Amino acid sequence: MREVTKGLWVGNQAEYEAGMFDDSFSFVLAAKNPFHKDTVGYTGKSCDKNHPEYLLAYRENKLVLNMVDAPSSLYFNKGMIDEALTYIHAELEKSKSVLICCNAGQSRSAGLALLYLIKHGIIDGETLEDCEAEFMKAYPEYNPGTGMRGFVKQHWREYINDKKNP
């Protein structure tokens, strides 16, 4: 688990489950299994697409995402990712620390953190590779799967534009 900017942490499932957090923390749990599945309470392979919490669920100090480390960017929902970035910012604005975690702490959680840092001008670069290189100084565990990397590659400039055109 590493702090990538003041108050924003990236980690993995084991670090989250160790439970060594106080009330100053909020969480983005970016994994279908076990986080979303356990939170929403479905027992089959996947959540019913008509369920009101199909994409995400809020619980106390947590935003839980129905996110798999899929091989294609088509499986990543931009609205869900935007909601996560908004949640992270709102929690940081309340002086909370935020831990973003997925199973291994390398792909989904790291990708969300990278997009947050790009969106808020904490990391900047001419290319995505420049931004990733800068991010890896703070979080060398960054190793996105092809789907997460594809989503980041497809959308990173939009997040820079969000910063420039609030």
Side-chain angles (χ1 to χ4, degrees), residues 3-71:
E3 189 174 32
V4 296
T5 194
K6 186 176 186 311
L8 183 60
W9 298 78
V10 181
N12 62 42
Q13 181 180 342
E15 292 163 334
Y16 170 75
E17 289 176 347
M20 301 182 65
F21 305 98
D22 60 25
D23 291 342
S24 69
F25 269 85
S26 293
F27 304 92
V28 174
L29 307 178
K32 175 184 115 174
N33 195 13
F35 302 131
H36 188 264
K37 190 172 187 175
D38 290 350
T39 299
V40 175
Y42 51 98
T43 55
K45 187 176 179 180
S46 62
C47 186
D48 182 333
K49 289 185 179 182
N50 295 315
H51 192 284
E53 294 180 312
Y54 173 70
L55 289 176
L56 52 91
Y58 283 98
R59 298 290 189 276
E60 298 174 9
N61 61 341
K62 298 176 185 89
L63 173 60
V64 186
L65 307 176
N66 185 0
M67 196 179 231
V68 296
D69 205 3

Side-chain angles (χ1 to χ4, degrees), residues 22-152:
D22 60 25
D23 291 342
S24 69
F25 269 85
S26 293
F27 304 92
V28 174
L29 307 178
K32 175 184 115 174
N33 195 13
F35 302 131
H36 188 264
K37 190 172 187 175
D38 290 350
T39 299
V40 175
Y42 51 98
T43 55
K45 187 176 179 180
S46 62
C47 186
D48 182 333
K49 289 185 179 182
N50 295 315
H51 192 284
E53 294 180 312
Y54 173 70
L55 289 176
L56 52 91
Y58 283 98
R59 298 290 189 276
E60 298 174 9
N61 61 341
K62 298 176 185 89
L63 173 60
V64 186
L65 307 176
N66 185 0
M67 196 179 231
V68 296
D69 205 3
S72 170
S73 64
L74 297 175
Y75 294 98
F76 291 87
N77 180 285
K78 187 170 185 311
M80 176 175 58
I81 290 174
D82 289 346
E83 185 72 18
L85 300 180
T86 298
Y87 176 81
I88 293 164
H89 191 67
E91 294 301 295
L92 291 172
E93 288 286 303
K94 292 189 261 185
S95 297
K96 299 280 251 173
S97 291
V98 178
L99 170 63
I100 310 170
C101 71
C102 60
N103 302 115
Q106 298 175 350
S107 183
R108 292 163 285 180
S109 57
L112 288 169
L114 172 62
L115 289 173
Y116 179 85
L117 297 176
I118 289 170
K119 180 178 175 95
H120 292 280
I122 299 165
I123 286 181
D124 202 1
E126 293 295 317
T127 67
L128 173 57
E129 291 75 17
D130 292 342
C131 294
E132 288 175 320
E134 188 66 27
F135 181 65
M136 288 183 74
K137 292 176 186 174
Y139 197 74
E141 294 87 349
Y142 176 66
N143 184 24
T146 56
M148 188 69 208
R149 176 62 168 47
F151 180 89
V152 171

